[in-house]
């Protein structure tokens, strides 16, 4: 027998827990299913989240779980492996059944996809081992921690030119590694020169470490360039494989004509093309930082509550009509 909830939230990070929080406070029955694989797990701390600056990612999740539990939200560790669209109550034509890896089946009237994403990294030996430590990607998330250090930026797409200048605002010692000469035009290169940003055209073949710390990069000609940090953009892939059975397929997300990842397409409040299914956080936007993902989750949670409320009102009206109550209700 399936357990029935108003809403199942798939993913227990900032987006999912924020959606669960606002739904729980609206007296909705909510289940959060969390696989325990936060995208930001390699980072030492969360930044730019007011009141929680520097908090470790898993500690933030622990705090969030405690908070949603105060409002009756159930959180379970697990992974969704299958899904189907089928009504779970007689009063609501929309509903879903989700199967966990354990074999348990849970049901809900609405689903919020908030399982985040994975970072597909540049294929450079040694880079993955330093991801989230010596290898960073966001100047706002990690820039302060590498300020005034020797920073390299691996330019693999045209949009990374802006990233180079953002890191230049944090240090006087910045090197752009640009193996593809067609990526940057003369205007961008003039901006680099004006800001004393070095440009290296020889490809990086290895990221070097000294113990746990990044120490530099080795180039194809054997040259070693000493660095304290290397910025590298990833390609973001939403964790939504299970949702394909509901008719959801990721789409390319572009920034200035450059594809930065594949996510679920949603409207302003997180609605997907499948009625009753919503998405928030990195599952729907590769650029969401923790604070933005949390805000999106809260907004989506409110939208889901409104959706359910409309269904509840429609069911109540049908119920009154079935009872033969078709005149205006008395006003006292």
């Amino acid at each position: 027998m399936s357990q029935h909830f108003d809403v199942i939230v798939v993913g227990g990070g900032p987006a999912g827990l924020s959606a669960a929080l606002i739904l729980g406070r609206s007296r909705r029955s909510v289940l959060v299913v969390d696989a325990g694989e936060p995208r930001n797990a390699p980072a030492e701390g969360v930044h730019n989240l007011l009141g929680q600056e520097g908090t470790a990612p898993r500690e933030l999740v622990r705090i969030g779980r405690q908070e949603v539990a105060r409002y009756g939200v159930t959180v379970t560790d697990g992974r969704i492996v299958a899904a189907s669209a089928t009504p779970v109550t007689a009063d609501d034509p929309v509903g879903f059944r989700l199967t966990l890896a354990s074999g348990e089946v849970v049901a809900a009237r609405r689903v919020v996809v908030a399982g985040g994403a994975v970072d597909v990294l540049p294929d450079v030996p040694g880079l993955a081992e330093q991801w989230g430590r010596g290898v960073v990607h966001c100047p706002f998330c990690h820039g302060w921690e590498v300020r005034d250090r020797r920073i390299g930026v691996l330019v693999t797409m045209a949009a990374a030119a802006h990233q180079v200048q953002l890191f230049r605002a944090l240090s006087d010692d910045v090197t752009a590694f640009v193996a593809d000469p067609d990526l940057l035009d003369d205007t961008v290169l003039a901006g680099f020169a004006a800001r004393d940003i070095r440009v290296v055209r020889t490809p990086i073949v290895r990221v070097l470490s000294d113990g746990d710390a990044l120490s530099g990069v080795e180039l194809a000609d054997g040259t070693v360039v000493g660095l304290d940090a290397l910025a590298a953009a990833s390609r973001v892939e939403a964790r939504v494989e299970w949702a394909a059975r509901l008719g959801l397929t990721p789409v390319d997300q572009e920034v200035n004509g450059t594809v930065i990842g594949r996510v679920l397409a949603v409207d302003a409040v997180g609605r997907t093309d499948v009625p009753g299914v919503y998405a928030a956080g990195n599952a729907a936007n590769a650029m969401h930082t923790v604070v933005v993902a949390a805000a999106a989750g809260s907004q989506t949670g409110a939208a889901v509550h409104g959706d359910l409320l409309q269904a509840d009102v429609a069911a109540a009206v049908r119920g009154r009509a079935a009872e033969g109550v078709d005149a205006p209700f008395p006003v006292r």
Side-chain angles (χ1 to χ4, degrees):
M1 179 68 68
S2 301
Q3 296 185 67
H4 290 189
F5 298 87
D6 286 327
V7 185
I8 295 175
V9 179
V10 182
L17 289 175
S18 294
L21 182 61
I22 200 165
L23 285 162
R25 286 175 52 83
S26 299
R27 306 195 74 176
R28 293 296 179 184
S29 59
V30 182
L31 172 67
V32 177
V33 181
D34 184 25
E37 298 173 345
R39 180 187 175 193
N40 61 352
E44 291 184 0
V46 170
H47 299 291
N48 305 307
L49 181 60
L50 194 62
Q52 295 292 337
E53 173 62 29
T55 300
R58 293 192 185 278
E59 174 64 8
L60 185 67
V61 169
R62 186 191 68 79
I63 294 170
R65 285 189 173 200
Q66 286 185 336
E67 290 179 347
V68 300
R70 287 160 44 190
Y71 301 100
V73 173
T74 300
V75 181
T76 187
D77 296 323
R79 187 185 306 276
I80 301 299
V81 296
S84 62
T86 179
V88 296
T89 70
D91 294 329
D92 191 341
V94 178
F96 306 91
R97 295 186 186 276
L98 308 185
T99 304
L100 280 70
S102 65
E104 181 182 5
V105 177
V106 289
R109 296 167 63 192
R110 302 293 183 270
V111 169
V112 176
V113 183
V118 295
D119 290 289
V120 180
L121 305 178
D123 187 16
V124 178
L127 187 147
E129 289 78 5
Q130 283 287 338
W131 183 247
R133 297 184 291 124
V135 176
V136 300
H137 73 287
C138 172
F140 301 108
C141 301
H142 310 287
W144 175 263
E145 284 65 40
V146 300
R147 69 195 185 283
D148 298 327
R149 309 295 295 278
R150 299 173 300 171
I151 303 174
V153 183
L154 179 58
V155 179
T156 57
M157 59 183 72
H162 182 58
Q163 186 184 36
V164 174
Q165 291 289 7
L166 287 172
F167 277 100
R168 175 61 181 84
L170 296 157
S171 174
D172 294 334
D173 191 340
V174 174
T175 302
F177 295 89
V178 191
D180 184 350
D182 295 328
L183 283 177
L184 306 179
D185 59 26
D186 290 343
T187 300
V188 170
L189 292 172
F192 284 2
R195 296 276 284 161
D196 297 321
I197 297 169
R198 292 180 294 277
V199 177
V200 174
R201 299 288 192 182
T202 308
I204 295 174
V205 295
R206 190 183 320 277
V207 173
L208 304 175
S209 299
D210 183 5
D212 291 334
L214 183 145
S215 61
V217 295
E218 180 183 347
L219 306 182
D221 62 6
T223 301
V224 172
V225 180
L227 297 172
D228 301 304
L230 177 67
S234 65
R235 189 180 76 253
V236 177
E237 297 286 343
R239 289 194 185 101
V240 293
E241 296 83 359
W242 61 270
R245 302 203 181 180
L246 299 178
L248 289 170
T249 303
V251 298
D252 288 344
Q253 181 178 353
E254 295 186 3
V255 173
N256 297 326
T258 299
V259 176
I260 63 171
R262 290 180 59 78
V263 298
L264 295 181
V266 298
D267 68 8
V269 296
R271 273 187 295 255
T272 70
D273 291 336
V274 177
V277 180
Y278 295 71
N282 286 148
N285 192 316
M287 297 184 68
H288 277 184
T289 59
V290 169
V291 64
V292 182
S298 184
Q299 183 178 43
T300 296
V304 172
H305 176 56
D307 184 1
L308 288 168
L309 194 61
Q310 289 183 348
D312 293 341
V313 171
V317 170
R318 288 194 301 270
R320 283 300 184 109
E323 295 171 1
V325 182
D326 55 3
F329 297 110
V331 177
R332 295 175 181 168

